[in-house]
Amino acid sequence: MKLKGIKKLTGEIKVPGDKSISHRSIIFGAISQGETKIDNILLSDDTLKTIQCFKDMGIEFDIDEENNRVNIKGKGLNGLREPKKPLDCGNSGTTMRLLAGLLVGQNFSSTLIGDSSLSKRPMDRIIIPLTKMGGNIKGAHNKYPPLEIEPSEKLNGITYELPVASAQVKSAILLASIYSQGESKIIEKKVTRDHTERMLDYFREKDFIGRQVYIPGDISSAAYFIVAASIIKDSSIVLKDIGVNPTRTGIIDVLKEMGANIEVKNVRIVNNEPIGDIYVSYAPLKGISVDEGLIGRLIDEIPILAVAAAFAEGTTTIRGAEELKFKESNRIEAIAKELSKMSVDISPLPDGLIIKGGNKLTPAKVNAHKDHRIAMALSIAALAIEGESEVIDSHWVNISYPDFYDIIFTI
Ligand code: S3P
C-alpha cells in the first residue's frame, strides 16, 4: 500500500468492534442455549476463523456482514459435536488458546491447527495448566501446534499462578473450569485483559441462556488514530463507543503522560464492559520511560506507541515487554527494523525498545512482517511523514481491521 503524508486528521472516525470481546461472544454464544444476538461484532479474518471452528462443531450462525451483526443458535454447554476435520485457527492465537481450554472439557476428540506464524507460537503455556487440570492435550514437541485433544475422564479445578502475563492462558483455564469439578483459582501478578471474566459473569447470570451482546469499538484499533491525531499537526478527532475497560487503556495513560491531548467522555457500562467516546487533538509529545507495570494494559499497542515516541521530543524507553517476541511476529525486531528505514533512531532490547525521538523522518518502503499491528503502525507513521511511503504486505490488516485503509482514504 502506497501512502502519502497528510496535512491533518479531523472528524469522527469509526473503528470496528473489539477483537478480543468478539471472539469471546462467539464462544459463549455457541455454548449457551438458544439465540445469542451480537451487535457491532468484528468480522475479520481472525474472528471468522472462530466462527468457522464452531460451524465445524455443528453450531449455526446468521451473519449480516453489512451491519456487523451475528446471531448464534447456541446448543448449550454440552451441545457441540465432534468436528470431522481439524479446526483451523488460521493466524489467531486467541482462537487456538481459548478453544483449547473449551475443548479439553468435551467428550470428543479434536485437533487445532494454525497458519505458519501460529504454528511457531508457544502453546506449552496452555498445555501445562490444562494438563494439570486433567485435560488430555498434546502439542508438537509438547510446545507447538497442532494441538491434539482427547476426552479425559474428569477435569479438576486448579489453583494456578500465571508464569506469563497472558489473558489467553487465563481464559483457557477459565473455559476449562466451566467443565471441571471443584473450584479454580487463577493468580496473576500482572494485570491482563479481563473480558472473559466479564462475559462469563454476563452469561452465567442467566444460566447460559442465549443473550444480547453489544461489542464496544476496539481500543487497539482506535489507538492507531489516537496516535495519528496526536502527532499530525492541526488534527482533532472523535472516536465513539470505544471499549475503555481499564485493563486495556494503558495506551491512553502513557500518551497522556507524554503530553497528548486525549479526553474520554460519556462512559457507561454495556453488558459488563465500560464504553466511552474518545476525543483527541494534536499536542507536542515528549519521550518518557514507560512504567513496566503498564505493559499488560497496552501490550498490543507497543508498535504504535513506538511510532508516537518517534515523533516525541526526547527518549522513550519500553521495558518488561519480552512477550512481544511471541506475537504474530517478533514485534520488537519488526518495528525496530522497519522504523529504522524511516530514519527513526530506535534500538531493540531483549525486553523492549529505546526510541530517541525528534529526528526528521523520511518516507520509505517498509514491510508488515505478516503482522496486522506492524502494518497499521507503519501506515500511521507514513501518514505523518512528508512524501510517499509504501507498506509491503499491508493486506495483513484484515486480521483485525479490514476497513483500515478505507478509513484512511476517506480522512
Ligand atoms: C488477547 C490477549 C493478548 C493479546 C492478544 C489478544 C486476548 O495475548 O496480545 O492480541 O484476546 O485474550 P496474550 O494473552 O498472549 O498476552
Side-chain angles (χ1 to χ4, degrees):
M1 182 67 65
K2 290 189 172 153
L3 294 158
K4 285 198 180 114
I6 57 169
K7 294 252 155 16
K8 62 177 178 180
L9 228 81
T10 52
E12 189 176 327
I13 294 177
K14 177 97 193 88
V15 299
D18 187 275
K19 179 157 80 72
S20 292
I21 305 176
S22 295
H23 282 298
R24 285 149 174 88
S25 67
I26 298 161
I27 296 172
F28 283 109
I31 60 168
S32 293
Q33 191 64 53
E35 194 168 53
T36 285
K37 291 185 174 187
I38 312 170
D39 267 319
N40 201 39
I41 189 168
L42 169 71
L43 293 170
S44 68
D45 285 0
D46 268 15
T47 53
L48 289 170
K49 286 292 182 201
T50 299
I51 289 178
Q52 187 58 48
C53 289
F54 282 102
K55 282 187 176 170
D56 293 346
M57 293 188 281
I59 302 295
E60 283 172 47
F61 292 78
D62 275 338
I63 303 178
D64 173 354
E65 282 203 40
E66 206 148 301
N67 296 301
N68 301 306
R69 280 196 197 118
V70 166
N71 285 358
I72 307 179
K73 293 195 184 83
K75 296 215 167 140
L77 288 176
N78 296 305
L80 300 176
R81 70 154 165 67
E82 179 159 354
K84 294 194 174 70
K85 54 181 193 297
L87 298 167
D88 183 2
C89 306
N91 189 248
S92 174
T94 308
T95 306
M96 184 168 282
R97 297 198 178 110
L98 270 58
L99 285 194
L102 182 75
L103 290 170
V104 290
Q106 309 302 315
N107 60 7
F108 54 77
S109 312
S110 52
T111 303
L112 292 164
I113 58 170
D115 72 2
S116 63
S117 149
L118 184 54
S119 299
K120 291 186 206 100
R121 294 178 67 186
M123 294 297 149
D124 46 341
R125 54 181 64 194
I126 54 161
I127 295 174
I128 293 167
L130 295 176
T131 305
K132 280 194 177 143
M133 293 177 84
N136 203 337
I137 172 168
K138 294 204 166 37
H141 308 287
N142 253 330
K143 194 168 174 177
Y144 297 107
L147 298 177
E148 305 280 353
I149 299 167
E150 295 294 332
S152 55
E153 299 263 292
K154 121 173 197 282
L155 284 187
N156 304 305
I158 187 175
T159 296
Y160 194 67
E161 183 170 321
L162 295 180
V164 277
S166 165
Q168 292 176 356
V169 175
K170 176 174 63 175
S171 301
I173 300 170
L174 283 169
L175 287 162
S177 75
I178 298 175
Y179 295 89
S180 70
Q181 285 173 23
E183 211 177 70
S184 284
K185 191 171 168 189
I186 306 166
I187 302 151
E188 53 177 4
K189 279 190 265 171
K190 293 184 186 157
V191 179
T192 65
R193 64 195 68 193
D194 64 358
H195 304 303
T196 306
E197 295 89 307
R198 287 172 186 260
M199 200 171 283
L200 178 57
D201 281 345
Y202 183 67
F203 275 84
R204 233 178 358 197
E205 239 167 50
K206 294 264 190 272
D207 289 325
F208 292 99
I209 299 286
R211 298 210 72 174
Q212 183 103 26
V213 181
Y214 175 82
I215 311 287
D218 196 323
I219 183 133
S220 297
S221 301
Y224 300 101
F225 294 104
I226 296 176
V227 169
S230 298
I231 62 177
I232 299 173
K233 280 203 177 117
D234 299 323
S235 296
S236 179
I237 59 163
V238 55
L239 302 144
K240 291 227 170 108
D241 306 325
I242 307 296
V244 287
N245 179 319
T247 62
R248 296 284 298 283
T249 47
I251 185 69
I252 295 181
D253 297 346
V254 168
L255 288 171
K256 276 187 168 172
E257 200 185 329
M258 293 171 82
N261 189 348
I262 305 172
E263 266 188 279
V264 181
K265 294 184 190 169
N266 189 22
V267 178
R268 66 266 181 213
I269 303 286
V270 180
N271 42 258
N272 274 356
E273 289 281 355
I275 298 186
D277 303 333
I278 303 179
Y279 293 76
V280 192
S281 43
Y282 168 79
L285 302 183
K286 60 176 172 25
I288 60 162
S289 189
V290 177
D291 177 357
E292 282 193 34
L294 283 177
I295 295 298
R297 294 179 52 225
L298 52 64
I299 190 72
D300 290 341
E301 285 64 76
I302 292 176
I304 189 64
L305 178 59
V307 172
F311 286 87
E313 216 39 69
T315 302
T316 296
T317 311
I318 303 168
R319 306 295 306 252
E322 48 283 287
E323 269 298 303
L324 288 183
K325 292 183 189 159
F326 309 111
K327 298 293 177 190
E328 287 84 331
S329 70
N330 177 338
R331 288 187 177 154
I332 295 181
E333 297 295 336
I335 200 71
K337 183 170 175 200
E338 300 308 315
L339 284 180
S340 300
K341 295 180 186 166
M342 293 172 146
S343 309
V344 179
D345 185 343
I346 178 168
S347 316
L349 299 169
D351 67 339
L353 293 159
I354 296 182
I355 305 120
K356 292 189 182 133
N359 274 7
K360 184 170 165 50
L361 304 199
T362 50
K365 194 169 175 173
V366 288
N367 197 295
H369 290 243
K370 301 185 178 176
D371 185 330
H372 56 132
R373 303 215 181 276
I374 301 294
M376 290 188 276
L378 295 171
S379 299
I380 295 299
L383 292 184
I385 300 174
E386 224 180 286
E388 188 178 83
S389 295
E390 185 175 353
V391 180
I392 309 287
D393 273 349
S394 56
H395 63 87
W396 284 94
V397 302
N398 290 333
I399 291 293
S400 64
Y401 199 161
D403 294 338
F404 180 73
Y405 291 111
D406 295 340
I407 301 281
I408 283 189
F409 290 124
T410 51
I411 283 171

